């Protein structure tokens, strides 16, 4: 039986202080301007000031107001006030694969937690939809520490898993119904499901979508470890992989490359930004790099 995420490593809720600190890198990347450039159709008109918070870009400080008030203030812009973020997270059985505590779900859940803290720090409303064989959690975008902790608690709860199957299409449709304004939507999944292309296309017509494909090294290339008994987590079908066979490993790699190419092509055709996240990656580094890259290219 798959152990819960909380038993694999300390729960996200208990690691909140560390994750909040780690999320500053992501938060600073967002605040540096890349977040505004990602969301199309937003204004950047001046909209007032607020108290400076440690980690804010010093270039945003309003020196005139700061001098008058005797403490630092930063400028607010309309785009900052209006930005909304939402995540769609796959918690199905296929996301339980990986090595030890580094499962697809564990890495994706940590990335979601970092985004939640970054959104909180930047004052951005944050919404979430978590699913497996059914939608497990659906929360409309809100701001504040209490809401962030609710999200972390639900991430821990979803780690225990549910029924077999995936309702990714329903989750994509449901996330759209949560959002009243244009949002930046991250979809974390291995995309080992069917029927998700049309809902993703509809969602991307209204919102800026980032499809994060979560993988393990074995998804890309299987090592030669001998005769390997395997049980499909979704169907319970049992089989044996002859991993010492060069032909088998070649076919495995070909199939993996084909799945990745198809996912990438769908994303590009639908105007969705593709992003890869491996169980060997540091989620904070991947997210910070993503925002930094967007800042350079838009």
């Amino acid at each position: 039986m798959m152990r819960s995420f909380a038993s694999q490593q300390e729960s996200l809720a208990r690691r909140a202080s560390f994750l909040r600190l780690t999320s500053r890198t992501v938060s600073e990347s967002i605040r540096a301007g890349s977040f505004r450039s990602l969301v199309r159709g937003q204004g950047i008109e001046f909209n007032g000031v607020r108290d400076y918070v440690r980690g804010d870009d010093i270039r945003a400080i309003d020196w005139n107001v700061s001098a008058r008030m005797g403490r630092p203030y930063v400028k607010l812009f309309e785009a900052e006030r209006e930005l909304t973020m939402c995540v769609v997270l796959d918690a199905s059985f296929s996301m339980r694969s990986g090595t030890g505590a580094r499962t697809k779900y564990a890495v994706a859940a940590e990335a979601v937690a970092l985004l939640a803290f970054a959104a909180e720090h930047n004052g951005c409303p944050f919404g979430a939809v978590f699913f497996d064989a059914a939608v497990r959690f659906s929360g409309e975008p809100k701001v504040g520490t209490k809401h962030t902790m609710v999200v972390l608690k639900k991430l821990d709860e979803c780690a225990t898993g549910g029924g077999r199957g995936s309702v990714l299409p329903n989750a994509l449709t449901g996330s759209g119904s949560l959002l009243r304004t244009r949002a930046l939507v991250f979809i974390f999944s291995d995309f080992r499901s069917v029927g998700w292309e049309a809902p993703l296309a509809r969602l991307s017509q209204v919102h800026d979508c980032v499809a994060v494909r979560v993988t393990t090294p074995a998804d890309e290339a299987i090592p030669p470890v001998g005769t390997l008994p395997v049980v499909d987590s979704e169907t319970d079908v049992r089989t044996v992989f002859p991993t010492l066979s060069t032909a088998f490993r070649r076919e495995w790699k070909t199939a993996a490359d084909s799945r990745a190419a198809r996912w990438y092509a769908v994303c590009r055709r639908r105007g969705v930004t593709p992003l890869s996240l491996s169980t060997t990656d540091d989620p904070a580094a991947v997210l910070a790099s993503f925002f930094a890259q967007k800042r350079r290219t838009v």
Side-chain angles (χ1 to χ4, degrees):
M1 179 181 294
M2 176 60 65
R3 295 177 298 167
S4 71
F5 178 74
S7 66
Q8 290 180 25
Q9 63 183 73
E10 193 175 8
S11 76
L12 288 168
R14 294 178 60 133
R15 295 171 60 215
S17 295
F18 171 76
L19 288 170
R20 190 183 296 276
L21 180 63
T22 306
S23 72
R24 289 302 177 93
T25 303
V26 179
S27 177
E28 289 167 4
S29 297
I30 293 171
R31 190 174 292 281
S34 53
F35 209 1
R36 286 198 297 273
S37 64
L38 276 172
V39 181
R40 299 186 293 269
Q42 299 284 1
I44 54 172
E45 296 180 0
F46 179 72
N47 194 51
V49 296
R50 62 164 171 78
D51 286 314
Y52 172 85
V53 177
R54 184 179 178 184
D56 285 339
D57 187 347
I58 61 172
R59 292 172 295 182
I61 293 177
D62 188 318
W63 297 106
N64 292 330
V65 175
S66 298
R68 289 199 305 270
M69 301 302 294
R71 61 179 186 272
Y73 280 79
V74 294
K75 298 177 182 178
L76 283 176
F77 297 90
E78 190 71 15
E80 283 189 289
R81 185 179 63 83
E82 293 179 349
L83 288 176
T84 298
M85 188 188 299
C86 184
V87 296
V88 177
L89 174 63
D90 187 344
S92 64
F93 274 24
S94 65
M95 291 285 285
R96 312 292 157 164
S97 60
T99 304
R102 302 293 291 179
T103 64
K104 294 180 188 178
Y105 180 80
V107 173
E110 183 170 326
V112 170
L114 291 170
L115 287 173
F117 279 123
E120 177 193 326
H121 181 64
N122 285 320
C124 303
F126 185 85
V129 177
F130 306 153
F131 71 94
D132 45 40
V135 173
R136 299 279 299 278
F137 171 68
S138 179
E140 64 181 16
K142 295 181 181 178
V143 179
T145 301
K146 182 177 179 181
H147 178 62
T148 302
M149 296 309 296
V150 168
V151 170
L152 263 63
K153 182 175 182 292
K154 293 300 181 181
L155 285 170
D156 283 338
E157 291 176 359
C158 288
T160 58
R164 289 183 172 84
S166 169
V167 292
L168 176 56
N170 294 359
L172 292 171
T173 301
S175 66
S177 66
L178 289 178
L179 303 169
R180 296 181 176 85
T181 60
R182 192 177 191 91
L184 178 63
V185 182
F186 285 86
I187 302 104
F188 291 88
S189 176
D190 55 11
F191 292 92
R192 295 206 170 188
S193 181
V194 296
W196 54 267
E197 293 182 28
L200 179 62
R202 289 193 294 270
L203 189 66
S204 67
Q205 289 174 355
V206 181
H207 305 284
D208 294 86
C209 296
V210 182
V212 186
R213 183 170 177 261
V214 190
T215 64
T216 68
D219 287 335
E220 312 302 325
I222 195 166
V225 293
T227 301
L228 184 66
V230 177
V231 180
D232 189 299
S233 59
E234 296 284 0
T235 64
D236 269 345
V237 172
R238 298 174 182 270
T239 188
V240 175
F241 288 167
T243 65
L244 292 179
S245 166
T246 301
F248 176 82
R249 295 198 306 276
R250 183 171 57 248
E251 288 299 317
W252 182 278
K253 181 68 166 57
T254 298
D257 290 345
S258 177
R259 284 194 301 271
R262 179 177 175 275
W263 161 80
Y264 186 86
V266 169
C267 290
R268 286 306 191 190
R269 187 167 65 249
R270 300 303 186 182
V272 175
T273 302
L275 179 64
S276 295
L277 177 65
S278 172
T279 55
T280 60
D281 289 332
D282 174 2
V286 170
L287 292 173
S289 176
F290 165 75
F291 284 113
Q293 180 65 28
K294 279 297 177 183
R295 187 167 64 251
R296 290 193 296 267
T297 58
V298 295

